[in-house]
Amino acid sequence: AAARKGEEGLVGWLEANGVYMSPKSTWGRAGHPLRVESDTVDDFEPSGRGLIARRSIIQNEPLLEIPTKLVMTKARAQEILGRRVIPDEMGEYIALALLLVHERAKGAESFFAPYVGVLPDIDEVGPSYVWREEELALLEGSGALATTRSFQAKLEAEYATLQQTTLAQFPDVFPADVLTFEAFRWGMAMLFSRGVDLKDEESGTGQLGLVPYADLLNHSPYSSSNFLYNSIPFSRDKEVVLYADRPYAINDQVLITYGQKSNAELVLLYGFVVDRNRFDEVELRVSLAADDPRYNDKADFLRSVGLTPEQAFPLLIDRYSNELVQFLRLCCATPADGPLGALRFNEPISLVNEVAVFEALTEGCKVALAQYPETEEEDAKLMGNAQMFAVLSRRQRMAVKLRRNEKRILQRTIRVCEAEIAELEGALARR
């Protein structure tokens, strides 16, 4: 009941500020095609509030039009808090986080109260940087764990800086009991999970914004929708517009993309993973062998092209990068292959070198797999037991899904490498 009341308050606030929300058509204006759904489901997981098609929607139809006076931006933060508190050199994320914390503290007196009132608490979002230690332990072996630790440290450092600057200089604007670390972290979480890059096609500039109502849209890696920052005809004002990327049937959930993000990025910022995420990847670190007799020559060569002896490359479910293969060709080059400067690393150096490349890649994947305490088969068995998997918390399920998908990427890369090695060894045998 409270959630529904908040949603009704948000819709009423939007209507009072010029957003057409009625499902009824008028002369020259189609009815608003969306409705708020309090509890949506995606990939058999609850995904919170979402926007549902209340009628059939055609491709490229405007889905929502939100005037800029309702959008939270750094410029709006400077209007409300003043440029002394929000100087030009302050970053957009910090500025908007401060605005959010300030408006939430004002309660019903805030112009943005109906919007701020429906924003979730940080545990509802559940980004990995707020997980408990026992939940983070389930990410052991995944690069997502180190990324999360780094992210936590950065947030703490940003808040420490604010304590020495904004909190110390403006205690009347941000009393210590208002701008707490928990409040700051909540504000940042709202931005990381809901912020939109607003691109102005006319000026070619962009800015970070929180767009009320539009931020209820959930993510799909297959969506191609984008927000546009358009001028309003016969007005100096602008509005944020979203167009349908495809046709939607009545009662379909309308989705947008949060960008081409891996599951590790999604769980870090949004607290969820996508089972069929075509952008999922595993970062594989590769380095020159310390006992390579040509180590110094290779390290010098890499420095000459702006690289270091250790590099990180993404492995995707259906491919690995040409840059990874080129780096491994250098790593595996022997004196018999000739001077490094005479070699073309964007094509095979020799059959022997190419076999060594795929053997090295195979070994790298096996080393990465060994970092996980559980095998892919064990994760698959756990996920296959619907009753047991449902007992886990949502965060635990996200962790298991993430690490299993990463292991599948590594295993598929190994299979591809083994096939390449077999083919290359066959060619060697026929010579």
Side-chain angles (χ1 to χ4, degrees):
R4 178 53 62 185
K5 184 177 179 180
E7 291 158 8
E8 291 172 352
L10 173 64
V11 170
W13 177 69
L14 292 168
E15 289 180 320
N17 285 280
V19 181
Y20 190 73
M21 301 294 292
S22 172
K24 297 180 180 179
S25 300
T26 63
W27 287 106
R29 184 159 209 165
H32 182 63
L34 306 176
R35 62 177 174 82
V36 180
E37 180 68 37
S38 299
D39 299 295
T40 61
V41 176
D42 189 45
D43 269 337
F44 306 104
E45 292 285 353
S47 51
R49 286 191 179 97
L51 296 181
I52 306 297
R54 54 163 47 123
R55 58 170 172 79
S56 296
I57 295 171
I58 62 173
Q59 187 172 5
N60 296 323
E61 179 179 345
L63 295 175
L64 48 84
E65 298 159 306
I66 308 296
T68 52
K69 69 178 180 180
L70 302 182
V71 179
M72 286 184 160
T73 61
K74 179 182 174 181
R76 195 66 192 275
Q78 290 180 317
E79 288 177 18
I80 294 173
L81 297 172
R83 288 180 180 269
R84 289 174 62 248
V85 180
I86 310 293
D88 289 343
E89 61 270 20
M90 180 179 283
E92 288 184 302
Y93 279 91
I94 302 299
L96 276 169
L98 292 177
L99 177 61
L100 270 175
V101 171
H102 181 265
E103 296 305 298
R104 186 171 70 160
K106 287 174 66 176
E109 295 181 6
S110 168
F111 169 73
F112 292 101
Y115 169 57
V116 175
V118 300
L119 291 176
D121 63 42
I122 201 165
D123 285 326
E124 287 180 80
V125 180
S128 63
Y129 56 87
V130 303
W131 288 14
R132 296 186 296 273
E133 285 301 315
E134 60 268 27
E135 294 164 336
L136 287 174
L138 296 173
L139 295 175
E140 188 68 39
S142 170
L145 181 56
T147 303
T148 296
R149 298 285 191 208
S150 174
F151 205 86
Q152 290 170 330
K154 287 178 181 177
L155 283 176
E156 290 168 2
E158 290 283 7
Y159 182 70
T161 300
L162 282 175
Q163 285 181 303
Q164 297 167 11
T165 54
T166 306
L167 266 172
Q169 296 168 14
F170 307 104
D172 54 326
V173 180
F174 288 108
D177 62 341
V178 170
L179 188 53
T180 62
F181 175 69
E182 289 72 23
F184 170 71
R185 189 175 63 169
W186 170 81
M188 294 296 279
M190 294 304 102
L191 290 164
F192 291 132
S193 62
R194 313 173 87 82
V196 174
D197 181 19
L198 300 174
K199 295 180 179 178
D200 189 327
E201 299 294 337
E202 294 179 3
S203 66
T205 60
Q207 62 180 323
L208 177 68
L210 282 172
V211 185
Y213 189 61
D215 64 1
L216 298 180
L217 291 157
N218 287 317
H219 168 74
S220 167
Y222 304 102
S223 172
S224 58
S225 294
N226 286 301
F227 291 98
L228 296 180
Y229 201 37
N230 294 345
S231 297
I232 300 176
F234 310 109
S235 170
R236 294 183 178 181
D237 295 330
K238 296 197 171 188
E239 62 185 359
V240 178
V241 183
L242 179 71
Y243 298 92
D245 63 321
R246 62 176 178 83
Y248 288 90
I250 187 171
N251 292 326
D252 279 353
Q253 183 175 185
V254 177
L255 301 165
I256 59 169
T257 178
Y258 297 169
Q260 297 180 5
K261 291 180 169 58
S262 68
N263 279 339
E265 293 174 292
L266 290 174
V267 82
L268 174 70
L269 300 176
Y270 308 95
F272 68 85
V273 302
V274 176
D275 281 338
R276 298 174 299 279
N277 184 359
R278 60 179 173 175
F279 303 113
D280 202 11
E281 64 180 47
V282 177
E283 186 180 82
L284 190 69
R285 302 199 72 82
V286 183
S287 64
L288 294 176
D291 59 353
D292 187 332
R294 305 184 76 180
Y295 182 91
N296 291 334
D297 288 342
K298 291 178 180 180
D300 289 342
F301 179 85
L302 287 168
R303 279 190 285 270
S304 73
V305 293
L307 298 176
T308 60
E310 182 175 319
Q311 295 289 314
F313 299 94
L315 299 177
L316 281 75
I317 190 64
D318 58 348
R319 64 192 182 279
Y320 42 77
S321 69
N322 290 329
E323 290 78 9
L324 168 59
V325 174
Q326 291 174 30
F327 187 85
L328 286 173
R329 284 173 180 150
L330 171 66
C331 291
C332 297
T334 66
D337 294 316
L340 298 178
L343 299 177
R344 296 172 59 89
F345 297 102
N346 61 347
E347 58 187 35
I349 295 172
S350 67
L351 288 175
V352 172
N353 178 268
E354 206 72 356
V355 169
V357 163
F358 288 107
E359 287 178 340
L361 182 49
T362 299
E363 182 59 27
C365 290
K366 289 180 178 178
V367 170
L369 280 169
Q371 304 305 307
Y372 298 91
E374 306 82 7
T375 66
E376 190 276 333
E377 291 75 17
E378 288 171 330
D379 287 343
K381 183 178 179 181
L382 175 59
M383 292 177 62
N385 186 327
Q387 188 174 6
M388 184 180 296
F389 197 59
V391 172
L392 300 180
S393 70
R394 185 175 189 274
R395 294 178 184 180
Q396 290 173 322
R397 294 195 301 273
M398 294 301 112
V400 173
K401 288 181 178 182
L402 179 144
R403 74 192 191 197
R404 188 204 173 193
N405 284 340
E406 289 183 345
K407 294 166 194 173
R408 293 175 69 189
I409 291 173
L410 291 165
Q411 289 176 332
R412 186 186 183 281
T413 303
I414 289 172
R415 291 195 298 270
V416 170
C417 288
E418 289 174 342
E420 290 282 357
I421 291 169
E423 185 174 335
L424 289 164
E425 288 180 337
L428 278 169
R430 291 190 296 271
R431 288 175 61 174

